[in-house]
Amino acid sequence: MQIAILLYPRITALDAIGPYEVLARIPDAELVFVGQRTGEIRTDTGLLGLTVDRTLDETPNPDVVVVPGGAGQFDLMADEPLHDWLRAVDAGSTWTTSVCTGGLLLAAAGVLKGHRATTHWLAMDELERYGVTPVRERVVQDGKYMTAAGVSAGIDMALTLVDRITGPLMAKIIQLAVEYDPHPPFDAGSPDTAPRRVVELLRSRRESVLQGK
Amino acid sequence: MQIAILLYPRITALDAIGPYEVLARIPDAELVFVGQRTGEIRTDTGLLGLTVDRTLDETPNPDVVVVPGGAGQFDLMADEPLHDWLRAVDAGSTWTTSVCTGGLLLAAAGVLKGHRATTHWLAMDELERYGVTPVRERVVQDGKYMTAAGVSAGIDMALTLVDRITGPLMAKIIQLAVEYDPHPPFDAGSPDTAPRRVVELLRSRRESVLQGK
């Protein structure tokens, strides 16, 4: 089983690394970081370099594809070669997945059309313009499509995916290995529970939060 | 405020990237990935490259230091130049922190001696040999020392650290920006809640889980 995680300049690191840390632990899985060019890309903050090991052309048939989000994706919303690759790999994949606004990129490529999906809470409305039904849940599965909410939700998605791929025992082994027993210090991770002031502040900075502008 | 996150070959990626994703969002913080040599290191799985941007010598006075864990640290448990750096930066830091078995590395350098700290649940006993009092909590603060349990606990630690550094408002803004509203699919992230079979299986593979052997 080959798992391809897409990287591109100005990605949000945790969108990719959360799923990586879980999925790389599936026995006998071959996980590879792919992108338009091999070599280093810098993340959305500019503060971290991640390595693309293989080009899209070299990765034509992954079984699982993971599309993370990040400010740089907004330069890729009409990138035909990338969209062609997404459609081609989706045609042969067992699972096509996204984290955060990576769901918008999959949607823009036409892959999620007619399906239920989720994305970052600030971007939820945008799914509709691509014919996708937005669902406000942490992880949404619709057939072979699995999409996660913002950034950190990729960890929950990846554990759910391990359950679907190999069953609950392996998912629990990996969850305990990475000690995923979250205790956030505040109950502020959802717009439903965060203080209104915090929600409004992020809404007012929506462009910079999502697109790094 | 300068935040230095240590990288070294065969690190566990999420130990470093969880805190990065939170701490990089503190306004006006300068976050830098440091290591013994600049350039690419590969993580414990061999499947991911991360970039070291600055050497230890170039980073003598960070305000916050974050020490992640990973199989490669077991080659560094007696590395004098690294331990000298850890002791030197600790002498000037506002916060000295670790994630997962990174706590053992701080302990081996003598930095945590006489303090309460935590680490990955499978490595808890080892803290004692360095004169550290092990505490089975997700995030442990003892003065300026903040240590996190295994791998994913670095996210909880980093949000706690943001609260201590800038107050709860910024911590909540960052938590909502990364939508950290965890919903693990199983209640298996702690040895207290995981099925006994899963706990025993990881105990029996302790060396390979912690040291990649």
Side-chain angles (χ1 to χ4, degrees), chain A residues 79-103:
Chain A
D79 185 295
E80 275 309 314
L82 176 61
H83 291 204
D84 286 345
W85 182 80
L86 288 171
R87 285 187 291 266
V89 296
D90 176 57
S93 72
T94 311
W95 293 96
T96 298
T97 77
S98 64
V99 180
C100 196
T101 50

Side-chain angles (χ1 to χ4, degrees), chain B residues 84-104:
Chain B
D84 286 346
W85 182 80
L86 288 171
R87 285 187 292 264
V89 295
D90 176 57
S93 73
T94 311
W95 294 97
T96 297
T97 77
S98 64
V99 180
C100 195
T101 51
L104 298 182

Side-chain angles (χ1 to χ4, degrees), chain B:
Chain B
M1 182 179 59
Q2 188 186 55
I3 300 166
I5 301 182
L6 180 68
L7 294 180
Y8 49 82
R10 297 200 297 131
I11 203 164
T12 300
L14 188 57
D15 286 26
I17 306 308
Y20 149 82
E21 195 64 64
V22 170
L23 300 176
R25 294 167 188 258
I26 299 175
D28 302 321
E30 180 211 347
L31 187 147
V32 59
F33 284 94
V34 304
Q36 293 181 306
R37 275 166 295 279
T38 57
E40 186 196 59
I41 56 104
R42 302 295 291 191
T43 61
D44 50 5
T45 61
L47 301 172
L48 172 62
L50 301 174
T51 310
V52 175
D53 283 333
R54 215 170 303 172
T55 65
L56 301 180
D57 288 346
E58 291 167 333
T59 318
N61 293 304
D63 300 288
V64 179
V65 59
V66 180
V67 179
Q73 77 174 81
F74 295 97
D75 297 334
L76 302 172
M77 297 301 275
D79 185 295
E80 275 308 315
L82 176 61
H83 291 205
D84 286 346
W85 182 80
L86 288 171
R87 285 187 292 264
V89 295
D90 176 57
S93 73
T94 311
W95 294 97
T96 297
T97 77
S98 64
V99 180
C100 195
T101 51
L104 298 182
L105 195 50
L106 273 185
V111 165
L112 293 178
K113 196 165 186 176
H115 292 284
R116 300 161 67 249
T118 197
T119 184
H120 192 284
W121 64 276
L122 277 173
M124 200 62 68
D125 295 346
E126 293 184 40
L127 284 171
E128 287 180 313
R129 78 166 68 159
Y130 302 107
V132 181
T133 304
V135 180
R136 273 283 313 279
E137 286 171 19
R138 186 93 176 143
V139 176
V140 173
Q141 185 187 346
D142 183 352
K144 74 170 190 176
Y145 299 100
M146 196 179 286
T147 52
V151 192
S152 59
I155 300 171
D156 296 318
M157 184 191 78
L159 286 168
T160 306
L161 197 54
V162 174
D163 174 46
R164 299 295 188 279
I165 293 171
T166 69
L169 179 63
M170 184 53 61
K172 290 175 186 176
I173 289 170
I174 294 174
Q175 186 179 348
L176 185 56
V178 301
E179 210 166 341
Y180 187 49
D181 176 35
H183 284 65
F186 303 102
D187 188 12
S190 157
D192 301 331
T193 59
R196 180 175 295 192
R197 180 183 171 196
V198 171
V199 176
E200 291 311 315
L201 197 142
L202 285 173
R203 275 197 209 283
S204 70
R205 293 185 195 163
R206 187 179 174 287
E207 293 299 298
S208 71
V209 172
L210 292 179
Q211 305 199 18
K213 285 178 183 164

